[in-house]
Amino acid sequence: HLYADGVVEWTAAETTLQLRTTTDYPWRGRVVMTWHTPRPVRQTLRLRLPGWCRSPHVSVSGQDIDLSATGVQGYVVLDRMWSEGDAVELDFPMPVERVRAHPRVTANAGCVAIQRGPLVYCAEEVDHGPGLASLRLPRRAALTEKEEPGLGEGVVVVETEEASRVEAADTTLYSTVDPVVGPARLKLIPYCLWNNRGEGEMKLWLHEG
């Protein structure tokens, strides 16, 4: 269900079997599972196809699997004879996507959240300074992905140079003077990693416009 590096070992039909998983998930969508068995053996694998992925791809030893014929309620079911070195490869494309709440969720009206694969992203004060509510993400701003070693091995952040920031024109609480809108660079990190670089504000839902 949750793909991670590791080895599973069990006994079936008096045979010790191993299934070794290699992956950079959730930072990358490629998962490879390799069989180690002293002799061919029939087993059934049921592998989760995550709901966030609309175009998963599965192959066995280089041969594509027809998911319309083998998928069952969110899983791909592989029932077959397995031999030493057989490899199951799963590919879950991870485009950067914008997520919007239902219009009746008033707290998030006019806002957008950023998702990549199974991860939701947020802006953090350490990257932008205080006052994250002033950030704006234009509807057509290009969002790019970049690996960020400082956050951990393989961690991917999402960035744009096309954001903006709204600042007050004066120091009064209420004013009739138009606010100042200037360009801003926006850096979003996986929500699960925020507050690891010092205490500060975090914002997940960003004003769009």
Side-chain angles (χ1 to χ4, degrees):
H1 291 84
L2 301 175
Y3 299 104
D5 276 355
V7 179
V8 177
E9 182 175 294
W10 73 101
T11 300
E14 300 181 348
T15 302
T16 299
L17 307 174
Q18 276 192 357
L19 190 61
R20 181 179 298 273
T21 301
T22 304
T23 184
D24 291 325
Y25 192 87
W27 318 118
R28 300 285 186 273
R30 184 171 181 264
V31 181
V32 179
M33 296 181 166
T34 306
W35 283 86
H36 297 286
T37 172
R39 62 180 179 83
V41 61
R42 189 176 193 92
Q43 290 281 276
T44 301
L45 277 183
R46 291 177 173 84
L47 303 174
R48 179 68 176 167
L49 300 177
W52 57 262
C53 184
R54 285 178 285 281
S55 56
H57 178 263
V58 180
S59 65
V60 175
S61 297
Q63 295 185 343
D64 292 347
I65 299 298
D66 182 0
L67 297 181
S68 65
T70 58
V72 178
Q73 295 182 343
Y75 293 81
V76 56
V77 181
L78 303 175
D79 182 6
R80 55 180 287 160
M81 294 294 295
W82 301 96
S83 300
E84 172 66 22
D86 281 347
V88 180
E89 183 169 339
L90 305 101
D91 184 28
F92 304 128
M94 294 183 173
V96 177
E97 298 180 302
R98 297 179 182 229
V99 180
R100 296 173 180 84
H102 189 281
R104 291 188 181 179
V105 183
T106 56
N108 297 332
C111 294
V112 64
I114 301 301
Q115 174 178 310
R116 178 181 177 272
L119 300 175
V120 175
Y121 281 69
C122 69
E124 194 172 12
E125 182 176 341
V126 68
D127 296 313
H128 305 91
L132 297 182
S134 65
L135 291 170
R136 298 291 185 272
L137 179 61
R139 183 178 293 270
R140 300 189 182 280
L143 297 169
T144 60
E145 308 164 37
K146 186 185 78 172
E147 192 166 317
E148 186 82 1
L151 288 172
E153 185 177 353
V155 176
V156 174
V157 300
V158 176
E159 296 181 328
T160 182
E161 300 285 346
E162 302 175 25
S164 61
R165 193 156 199 160
V166 180
E167 302 289 356
D170 55 41
T171 59
T172 59
L173 182 59
Y174 300 101
S175 175
T176 58
V177 180
D178 289 340
V180 178
V181 180
R185 176 177 172 271
L186 185 62
K187 176 179 176 180
L188 305 174
I189 70 166
Y191 171 77
C192 59
L193 297 180
W194 83 277
N195 217 30
N196 283 314
R197 295 175 293 164
E199 294 182 6
E201 184 184 7
M202 176 277 296
K203 190 166 181 62
L204 191 152
W205 290 98
L206 301 167
H207 291 286
E208 189 175 48

Short mmCIF file of all heavy atoms in Angstrom, two decimals, residues 26-48:
data_model
loop_
_atom_site.label_atom_id
_atom_site.label_comp_id
_atom_site.label_asym_id
_atom_site.label_seq_id
_atom_site.Cartn_x
_atom_site.Cartn_y
_atom_site.Cartn_z
N PRO A 26 8.08 8.76 -1.68
CA PRO A 26 7.11 9.49 -2.49
C PRO A 26 7.69 10.64 -3.31
O PRO A 26 6.94 11.41 -3.88
CB PRO A 26 6.17 10.04 -1.42
CG PRO A 26 7.08 10.36 -0.27
CD PRO A 26 8.11 9.26 -0.29
N TRP A 27 9.03 10.76 -3.37
CA TRP A 27 9.63 11.86 -4.13
C TRP A 27 9.61 11.56 -5.64
O TRP A 27 9.55 12.48 -6.45
CB TRP A 27 11.06 12.10 -3.67
CG TRP A 27 11.20 12.04 -2.19
CD1 TRP A 27 11.95 11.18 -1.46
CD2 TRP A 27 10.55 12.88 -1.22
NE1 TRP A 27 11.82 11.41 -0.12
CE2 TRP A 27 10.97 12.45 0.06
CE3 TRP A 27 9.67 13.95 -1.31
CZ2 TRP A 27 10.52 13.05 1.22
CZ3 TRP A 27 9.22 14.54 -0.14
CH2 TRP A 27 9.64 14.10 1.11
N ARG A 28 9.69 10.30 -5.98
CA ARG A 28 9.61 9.86 -7.37
C ARG A 28 8.57 8.76 -7.47
O ARG A 28 8.33 8.03 -6.50
CB ARG A 28 10.95 9.33 -7.86
CG ARG A 28 12.09 10.33 -7.81
CD ARG A 28 12.00 11.37 -8.91
NE ARG A 28 13.17 12.24 -8.96
CZ ARG A 28 13.32 13.35 -8.26
NH1 ARG A 28 12.34 13.72 -7.43
NH2 ARG A 28 14.39 14.11 -8.36
N GLY A 29 7.97 8.60 -8.66
CA GLY A 29 6.86 7.66 -8.80
C GLY A 29 7.23 6.29 -9.32
O GLY A 29 6.34 5.49 -9.62
N ARG A 30 8.52 5.97 -9.43
CA ARG A 30 8.94 4.66 -9.95
C ARG A 30 9.19 3.69 -8.80
O ARG A 30 9.91 3.99 -7.84
CB ARG A 30 10.20 4.81 -10.80
CG ARG A 30 10.67 3.52 -11.46
CD ARG A 30 11.80 3.79 -12.45
NE ARG A 30 12.25 2.59 -13.12
CZ ARG A 30 13.29 1.86 -12.74
NH1 ARG A 30 14.00 2.24 -11.66
NH2 ARG A 30 13.65 0.76 -13.38
N VAL A 31 8.58 2.51 -8.92
CA VAL A 31 8.73 1.45 -7.91
C VAL A 31 9.08 0.17 -8.64
O VAL A 31 8.41 -0.22 -9.61
CB VAL A 31 7.43 1.24 -7.11
CG1 VAL A 31 7.63 0.16 -6.05
CG2 VAL A 31 6.97 2.55 -6.46
N VAL A 32 10.16 -0.52 -8.22
CA VAL A 32 10.56 -1.79 -8.82
C VAL A 32 10.57 -2.86 -7.75
O VAL A 32 11.21 -2.70 -6.70
CB VAL A 32 11.95 -1.70 -9.49
CG1 VAL A 32 12.34 -3.06 -10.07
CG2 VAL A 32 11.95 -0.64 -10.58
N MET A 33 9.84 -3.96 -8.01
CA MET A 33 9.81 -5.11 -7.11
C MET A 33 10.41 -6.31 -7.81
O MET A 33 9.90 -6.72 -8.86
CB MET A 33 8.37 -5.40 -6.67
CG MET A 33 7.73 -4.29 -5.88
SD MET A 33 6.04 -4.72 -5.38
CE MET A 33 5.73 -3.46 -4.15
N THR A 34 11.46 -6.87 -7.24
CA THR A 34 12.19 -7.97 -7.88
C THR A 34 12.02 -9.25 -7.07
O THR A 34 12.22 -9.26 -5.85
CB THR A 34 13.68 -7.63 -8.01
OG1 THR A 34 13.82 -6.37 -8.68
CG2 THR A 34 14.41 -8.71 -8.80
N TRP A 35 11.67 -10.34 -7.77
CA TRP A 35 11.47 -11.64 -7.15
C TRP A 35 12.79 -12.40 -7.01
O TRP A 35 13.61 -12.39 -7.93
CB TRP A 35 10.51 -12.49 -7.98
CG TRP A 35 9.08 -12.11 -7.82
CD1 TRP A 35 8.40 -11.15 -8.50
CD2 TRP A 35 8.14 -12.68 -6.90
NE1 TRP A 35 7.10 -11.08 -8.07
CE2 TRP A 35 6.91 -12.01 -7.09
CE3 TRP A 35 8.22 -13.69 -5.94
CZ2 TRP A 35 5.77 -12.33 -6.36
CZ3 TRP A 35 7.09 -14.00 -5.20
CH2 TRP A 35 5.89 -13.32 -5.41
N HIS A 36 12.94 -13.07 -5.87
CA HIS A 36 14.04 -14.00 -5.67
C HIS A 36 13.45 -15.31 -5.17
O HIS A 36 12.87 -15.38 -4.08
CB HIS A 36 15.06 -13.44 -4.67
CG HIS A 36 15.71 -12.17 -5.15
ND1 HIS A 36 16.65 -12.15 -6.15
CD2 HIS A 36 15.52 -10.87 -4.79
CE1 HIS A 36 17.04 -10.91 -6.38
NE2 HIS A 36 16.36 -10.11 -5.56
N THR A 37 13.54 -16.34 -6.01
CA THR A 37 12.94 -17.64 -5.70
C THR A 37 13.81 -18.74 -6.29
O THR A 37 14.28 -18.62 -7.43
CB THR A 37 11.51 -17.74 -6.25
OG1 THR A 37 11.03 -19.07 -6.10
CG2 THR A 37 11.44 -17.34 -7.72
N PRO A 38 14.08 -19.82 -5.53
CA PRO A 38 14.92 -20.90 -6.05
C PRO A 38 14.28 -21.71 -7.18
O PRO A 38 14.96 -22.39 -7.92
CB PRO A 38 15.17 -21.77 -4.82
CG PRO A 38 14.02 -21.50 -3.93
CD PRO A 38 13.65 -20.07 -4.15
N ARG A 39 12.96 -21.59 -7.30
CA ARG A 39 12.27 -22.30 -8.38
C ARG A 39 11.00 -21.53 -8.72
O ARG A 39 10.50 -20.75 -7.91
CB ARG A 39 11.92 -23.73 -7.96
CG ARG A 39 10.98 -23.82 -6.77
CD ARG A 39 10.68 -25.28 -6.42
NE ARG A 39 9.78 -25.39 -5.27
CZ ARG A 39 8.45 -25.31 -5.35
NH1 ARG A 39 7.87 -25.10 -6.52
NH2 ARG A 39 7.72 -25.45 -4.27
N PRO A 40 10.45 -21.72 -9.92
CA PRO A 40 9.21 -21.02 -10.27
C PRO A 40 8.09 -21.36 -9.29
O PRO A 40 7.95 -22.51 -8.86
CB PRO A 40 8.90 -21.54 -11.68
CG PRO A 40 10.22 -21.95 -12.23
CD PRO A 40 10.99 -22.50 -11.05
N VAL A 41 7.31 -20.35 -8.93
CA VAL A 41 6.24 -20.55 -7.97
C VAL A 41 5.07 -19.63 -8.33
O VAL A 41 5.28 -18.52 -8.83
CB VAL A 41 6.73 -20.26 -6.54
CG1 VAL A 41 7.17 -18.82 -6.40
CG2 VAL A 41 5.68 -20.60 -5.50
N ARG A 42 3.86 -20.12 -8.11
CA ARG A 42 2.68 -19.30 -8.40
C ARG A 42 2.28 -18.53 -7.14
O ARG A 42 2.09 -19.11 -6.07
CB ARG A 42 1.52 -20.17 -8.88
CG ARG A 42 0.34 -19.33 -9.40
CD ARG A 42 -0.78 -20.19 -9.96
NE ARG A 42 -1.73 -19.37 -10.72
CZ ARG A 42 -1.66 -19.16 -12.02
NH1 ARG A 42 -0.68 -19.72 -12.73
NH2 ARG A 42 -2.55 -18.39 -12.64
N GLN A 43 2.15 -17.22 -7.31
CA GLN A 43 1.73 -16.35 -6.22
C GLN A 43 0.89 -15.21 -6.81
O GLN A 43 0.97 -14.91 -8.01
CB GLN A 43 2.94 -15.76 -5.48
CG GLN A 43 3.75 -16.75 -4.66
CD GLN A 43 3.10 -17.06 -3.33
OE1 GLN A 43 3.27 -16.34 -2.35
NE2 GLN A 43 2.35 -18.15 -3.28
N THR A 44 0.10 -14.60 -5.94
CA THR A 44 -0.73 -13.47 -6.36
C THR A 44 -0.27 -12.21 -5.64
O THR A 44 -0.18 -12.19 -4.41
CB THR A 44 -2.21 -13.71 -6.05
OG1 THR A 44 -2.64 -14.89 -6.73
CG2 THR A 44 -3.06 -12.53 -6.52
N LEU A 45 0.06 -11.18 -6.43
CA LEU A 45 0.38 -9.87 -5.88
C LEU A 45 -0.80 -8.93 -6.09
O LEU A 45 -1.36 -8.86 -7.19
CB LEU A 45 1.60 -9.27 -6.60
CG LEU A 45 3.00 -9.68 -6.17
CD1 LEU A 45 4.03 -8.89 -6.97
CD2 LEU A 45 3.21 -9.46 -4.69
N ARG A 46 -1.18 -8.23 -5.04
CA ARG A 46 -2.18 -7.17 -5.16
C ARG A 46 -1.51 -5.87 -4.75
O ARG A 46 -1.16 -5.68 -3.59
CB ARG A 46 -3.39 -7.47 -4.27
CG ARG A 46 -4.22 -8.66 -4.75
CD ARG A 46 -5.37 -8.97 -3.80
NE ARG A 46 -6.24 -10.00 -4.33
CZ ARG A 46 -6.02 -11.31 -4.20
NH1 ARG A 46 -4.93 -11.74 -3.56
NH2 ARG A 46 -6.86 -12.18 -4.71
N LEU A 47 -1.31 -4.99 -5.72
CA LEU A 47 -0.56 -3.76 -5.50
C LEU A 47 -1.48 -2.56 -5.62
O LEU A 47 -2.25 -2.44 -6.57
CB LEU A 47 0.58 -3.66 -6.52
CG LEU A 47 1.55 -4.84 -6.53
CD1 LEU A 47 2.55 -4.71 -7.66
CD2 LEU A 47 2.27 -4.95 -5.19
N ARG A 48 -1.37 -1.67 -4.66
CA ARG A 48 -2.24 -0.50 -4.61
C ARG A 48 -1.93 0.48 -5.75
O ARG A 48 -0.76 0.81 -5.99
CB ARG A 48 -2.08 0.22 -3.26
CG ARG A 48 -2.93 1.47 -3.12
CD ARG A 48 -4.39 1.14 -3.04
NE ARG A 48 -5.21 2.33 -2.82
CZ ARG A 48 -6.52 2.36 -2.96
NH1 ARG A 48 -7.17 1.24 -3.32
NH2 ARG A 48 -7.20 3.45 -2.74
#
